[in-house]
Amino acid sequence: MHGMLVNRAAQLLGSLLQTLATDGPRARAAIGATPVTTIGCALLVLLVLSVLARRRQHTVVETEPPLFTDDEVPALRPSELGAAIAALKQHAREHALLEAGALLRQVRRAVETSPSTPATMAARAALEGEVGPGLTADELARRHAECLHTLQLLEPSAAAAGWRELSSPGDGHNCYVRRTAGGVVWAKATSELRGVRLADLITIFRQTDLFDLWYPRCVASENLKIPGAVERLFRMVVELRLPVLGAISYDLIPHAYGVDALESCGAMLMCGRSARPEDWPDSASWPPPPKGGFRQELNALRLMLQPKAGGAAAC
């Protein structure tokens, strides 16, 4: 039964992606957005819904060994640490987390190798506190690993095996499922959106509070916190009406962030998962699930957008 639901969900994703890529007048009218902006909003929600995990809630997706690592880069000399940290922080401010994270690993490796030199002690001190707006060194390292895993999963040329194609109608919209060794099930929908500029898709993070104006069956949406220009903690409530059962409501509270990986791999990445109240002690009061409903947990959320020739974008 679980496998059947996963397959059905992946097929639904493909159908939604195709519909929103070709016919979004109601959504555009609702939010006053351009067609490309509407499609961008849809992509984020599709990825939110596309990641399926184990049957029970409050599980965490196990990390698979990343295929993209920087372990073989030359070690930094003590004299290079200052410039490396400055570059690291600049990359973090520009949301280029692949570059920032790679430099962080090099700096930390140099500090571990020679922990008592003046240069490494200064480097250790420079990594205390924030290395970017709202971003500690530990959080940067976590997001860097998450970005590598995203490339492993979604990069078309990557060796992440195990994707099983569910449908390929020949119109550029394809659906897949994949089960990891630990039993986690992923669903993926891919598409090429013609006439869609990548720059317009980035606006999706600024419109998470407007999902209730256009997303099917979404009856409420709000931003709980805006940590940065491409980062959102938000909530959306979905209401389904089923024969005999009547109305069923559930909500989601994802935390998602964007990554500029255009220079390193020619794509924009978006990553996230369900947020926990304990991870956001300074946020507004945590909303309860909808009355009579439940909260849907998202173990992972991944999206990769790539510009294509002729003004198209692949996702």
Side-chain angles (χ1 to χ4, degrees):
M1 175 64 74
H2 182 57
M4 181 179 70
L5 291 175
V6 170
N7 291 353
R8 180 60 181 153
Q11 291 167 347
L12 175 62
L13 284 173
S15 176
L16 275 172
L17 189 59
Q18 180 177 8
T19 299
L20 286 166
T22 58
D23 181 22
R26 185 173 65 84
R28 294 196 294 272
I31 64 176
T34 62
V36 287
T37 300
T38 298
I39 295 168
C41 292
L43 289 174
L44 178 60
V45 181
L46 287 173
L47 262 294
V48 169
L49 296 176
S50 69
V51 181
L52 303 176
R54 299 171 185 172
R55 300 175 207 180
R56 68 179 185 270
Q57 295 183 351
H58 300 289
T59 57
V60 177
V61 172
E62 78 272 21
T63 301
E64 299 173 87
L67 300 181
F68 302 84
T69 66
D70 50 35
D71 291 335
E72 298 181 358
V73 298
L76 293 174
R77 296 189 297 270
S79 60
E80 298 174 316
L81 287 174
I85 291 174
L88 178 163
K89 293 184 175 182
Q90 181 61 31
H91 285 310
R93 286 192 293 270
E94 296 172 351
H95 316 294
L97 300 191
L98 284 171
E99 291 87 343
L103 283 170
L104 175 63
R105 292 183 63 172
Q106 289 182 268
V107 169
R108 283 181 161 177
R109 192 153 59 244
V111 169
E112 291 170 0
T113 302
S114 304
S116 301
T117 67
T120 54
M121 288 189 289
R124 187 185 297 110
L127 293 179
E128 295 178 356
E130 294 185 351
V131 296
L135 192 66
T136 64
D138 287 344
E139 178 63 12
L140 171 58
R142 188 194 71 79
R143 294 188 185 186
H144 179 237
E146 198 165 57
C147 290
L148 294 176
H149 186 227
T150 299
L151 292 175
Q152 176 179 323
L153 282 173
L154 303 182
E155 169 60 50
S157 62
W163 287 110
R164 179 168 62 88
E165 188 174 41
L166 290 179
S167 65
S168 180
D171 55 4
H173 306 280
N174 301 298
C175 304
Y176 308 85
V177 292
R178 179 177 184 267
R179 183 183 295 274
T180 70
V184 175
V185 178
W186 295 77
K188 177 173 74 168
T190 64
S191 182
E192 182 169 320
L193 306 178
R194 302 184 186 282
V196 179
R197 294 187 308 156
L198 181 64
D200 291 310
L201 297 181
I202 309 306
T203 62
I204 58 180
F205 281 115
R206 299 187 178 94
Q207 297 179 325
T208 50
D209 57 328
L210 301 180
F211 282 174
D212 61 336
L213 299 180
W214 66 271
Y215 185 77
R217 300 182 180 87
C218 180
V219 297
S221 57
E222 60 179 324
N223 285 326
L224 302 180
K225 193 176 182 63
I226 304 177
V230 292
E231 187 173 359
R232 293 290 187 270
L233 173 68
F234 66 100
R235 176 178 182 251
M236 57 185 294
V237 180
V238 177
E239 184 177 283
L240 305 175
R241 294 193 175 275
L242 304 176
V244 181
L245 297 177
I248 297 177
S249 298
Y250 67 91
D251 71 351
L252 311 93
I253 302 185
H255 167 234
Y257 61 89
V259 179
D260 183 352
L262 285 171
E263 185 172 341
S264 58
C265 65
M268 298 293 293
L269 307 178
M270 298 177 191
C271 307
R273 65 185 66 205
S274 277
R276 302 284 186 270
E278 57 269 22
D279 296 329
W280 298 86
D282 59 340
S283 65
S285 60
W286 208 254
K291 186 175 181 179
F294 62 94
R295 176 150 296 152
Q296 176 66 53
E297 297 292 325
L298 300 172
N299 285 337
L301 175 154
R302 306 291 168 84
L303 176 63
M304 182 165 68
L305 302 172
Q306 294 176 299
K308 296 293 184 179
C315 61

